[in-house]
PDB file of all heavy atoms in Angstrom:
ATOM      1  N   ILE A 124      -2.427   9.711  11.105  1.00  0.00           N
ATOM      2  CA  ILE A 124      -1.220  10.400  11.756  1.00  0.00           C
ATOM      3  C   ILE A 124      -1.307  11.979  11.342  1.00  0.00           C
ATOM      4  O   ILE A 124      -0.808  12.776  12.093  1.00  0.00           O
ATOM      5  CB  ILE A 124       0.053   9.696  11.392  1.00  0.00           C
ATOM      6  CG1 ILE A 124       0.043   8.275  11.835  1.00  0.00           C
ATOM      7  CG2 ILE A 124       1.250  10.387  11.908  1.00  0.00           C
ATOM      8  CD1 ILE A 124       1.141   7.377  11.369  1.00  0.00           C
ATOM      9  N   ASP A 125      -1.685  12.122  10.076  1.00  0.00           N
ATOM     10  CA  ASP A 125      -1.692  13.506   9.697  1.00  0.00           C
ATOM     11  C   ASP A 125      -2.561  14.356  10.557  1.00  0.00           C
ATOM     12  O   ASP A 125      -2.262  15.534  10.996  1.00  0.00           O
ATOM     13  CB  ASP A 125      -2.302  13.681   8.132  1.00  0.00           C
ATOM     14  CG  ASP A 125      -1.600  13.018   7.130  1.00  0.00           C
ATOM     15  OD1 ASP A 125      -1.561  11.787   7.048  1.00  0.00           O
ATOM     16  OD2 ASP A 125      -0.749  13.671   6.481  1.00  0.00           O
ATOM     17  N   CYS A 126      -3.739  13.757  10.955  1.00  0.00           N
ATOM     18  CA  CYS A 126      -4.720  14.504  11.893  1.00  0.00           C
ATOM     19  C   CYS A 126      -4.165  14.573  13.341  1.00  0.00           C
ATOM     20  O   CYS A 126      -4.226  15.592  13.942  1.00  0.00           O
ATOM     21  CB  CYS A 126      -6.036  13.768  11.933  1.00  0.00           C
ATOM     22  SG  CYS A 126      -6.946  13.628  10.341  1.00  0.00           S
ATOM     23  N   ARG A 127      -3.492  13.608  13.718  1.00  0.00           N
ATOM     24  CA  ARG A 127      -2.958  13.576  15.035  1.00  0.00           C
ATOM     25  C   ARG A 127      -1.671  14.406  15.228  1.00  0.00           C
ATOM     26  O   ARG A 127      -1.537  15.038  16.341  1.00  0.00           O
ATOM     27  CB  ARG A 127      -2.743  12.165  15.519  1.00  0.00           C
ATOM     28  CG  ARG A 127      -2.217  11.858  16.922  1.00  0.00           C
ATOM     29  CD  ARG A 127      -2.275  10.502  17.434  1.00  0.00           C
ATOM     30  NE  ARG A 127      -1.890   9.531  16.350  1.00  0.00           N
ATOM     31  CZ  ARG A 127      -0.685   8.966  16.138  1.00  0.00           C
ATOM     32  NH1 ARG A 127       0.303   9.322  16.788  1.00  0.00           N
ATOM     33  NH2 ARG A 127      -0.638   8.026  15.238  1.00  0.00           N
ATOM     34  N   GLU A 128      -0.908  14.446  14.283  1.00  0.00           N
ATOM     35  CA  GLU A 128       0.481  15.082  14.526  1.00  0.00           C
ATOM     36  C   GLU A 128       0.750  16.294  13.522  1.00  0.00           C
ATOM     37  O   GLU A 128       1.631  17.135  13.771  1.00  0.00           O
ATOM     38  CB  GLU A 128       1.544  14.060  14.266  1.00  0.00           C
ATOM     39  CG  GLU A 128       1.707  12.924  15.242  1.00  0.00           C
ATOM     40  CD  GLU A 128       2.784  12.084  14.848  1.00  0.00           C
ATOM     41  OE1 GLU A 128       3.558  12.156  13.983  1.00  0.00           O
ATOM     42  OE2 GLU A 128       3.059  11.135  15.775  1.00  0.00           O
ATOM     43  N   GLY A 129      -0.120  16.427  12.479  1.00  0.00           N
ATOM     44  CA  GLY A 129       0.282  17.355  11.471  1.00  0.00           C
ATOM     45  C   GLY A 129      -0.716  18.523  11.298  1.00  0.00           C
ATOM     46  O   GLY A 129      -0.461  19.713  11.673  1.00  0.00           O
ATOM     47  N   ILE A 130      -1.943  18.159  10.933  1.00  0.00           N
ATOM     48  CA  ILE A 130      -2.981  19.296  10.607  1.00  0.00           C
ATOM     49  C   ILE A 130      -3.380  19.877  11.954  1.00  0.00           C
ATOM     50  O   ILE A 130      -3.525  19.331  12.993  1.00  0.00           O
ATOM     51  CB  ILE A 130      -4.182  18.520  10.047  1.00  0.00           C
ATOM     52  CG1 ILE A 130      -3.809  17.949   8.709  1.00  0.00           C
ATOM     53  CG2 ILE A 130      -5.331  19.568   9.941  1.00  0.00           C
ATOM     54  CD1 ILE A 130      -4.852  17.147   7.940  1.00  0.00           C
ATOM     55  N   GLY A 131      -3.374  21.233  11.863  1.00  0.00           N
ATOM     56  CA  GLY A 131      -3.816  22.035  13.060  1.00  0.00           C
ATOM     57  C   GLY A 131      -2.604  22.729  13.723  1.00  0.00           C
ATOM     58  O   GLY A 131      -2.786  23.703  14.438  1.00  0.00           O
ATOM     59  N   GLY A 132      -1.399  22.242  13.398  1.00  0.00           N
ATOM     60  CA  GLY A 132      -0.214  22.917  13.836  1.00  0.00           C
ATOM     61  C   GLY A 132      -0.031  24.193  13.129  1.00  0.00           C
ATOM     62  O   GLY A 132      -0.549  24.382  12.106  1.00  0.00           O
ATOM     63  N   PHE A 133       0.682  25.160  13.759  1.00  0.00           N
ATOM     64  CA  PHE A 133       0.798  26.545  13.127  1.00  0.00           C
ATOM     65  C   PHE A 133       1.758  26.488  11.929  1.00  0.00           C
ATOM     66  O   PHE A 133       2.899  26.190  12.210  1.00  0.00           O
ATOM     67  CB  PHE A 133       1.173  27.483  14.237  1.00  0.00           C
ATOM     68  CG  PHE A 133       1.301  28.891  13.646  1.00  0.00           C
ATOM     69  CD1 PHE A 133       0.125  29.646  13.293  1.00  0.00           C
ATOM     70  CD2 PHE A 133       2.471  29.584  13.580  1.00  0.00           C
ATOM     71  CE1 PHE A 133       0.227  30.854  12.846  1.00  0.00           C
ATOM     72  CE2 PHE A 133       2.515  30.915  13.088  1.00  0.00           C
ATOM     73  CZ  PHE A 133       1.385  31.531  12.789  1.00  0.00           C
ATOM     74  N   LYS A 134       1.314  26.866  10.692  1.00  0.00           N
ATOM     75  CA  LYS A 134       2.185  27.002   9.548  1.00  0.00           C
ATOM     76  C   LYS A 134       3.047  25.823   9.369  1.00  0.00           C
ATOM     77  O   LYS A 134       4.290  26.012   9.172  1.00  0.00           O
ATOM     78  CB  LYS A 134       2.905  28.273   9.670  1.00  0.00           C
ATOM     79  CG  LYS A 134       2.009  29.515   9.592  1.00  0.00           C
ATOM     80  CD  LYS A 134       2.801  30.772   9.468  1.00  0.00           C
ATOM     81  CE  LYS A 134       1.867  31.987   9.309  1.00  0.00           C
ATOM     82  NZ  LYS A 134       2.600  33.264   9.311  1.00  0.00           N
TER      83      LYS A 134
END
Side-chain angles (χ1 to χ4, degrees):
I124 301 172
D125 297 81
C126 295
R127 182 167 35 96
E128 294 181 356
I130 295 174
F133 183 68
K134 293 186 179 180

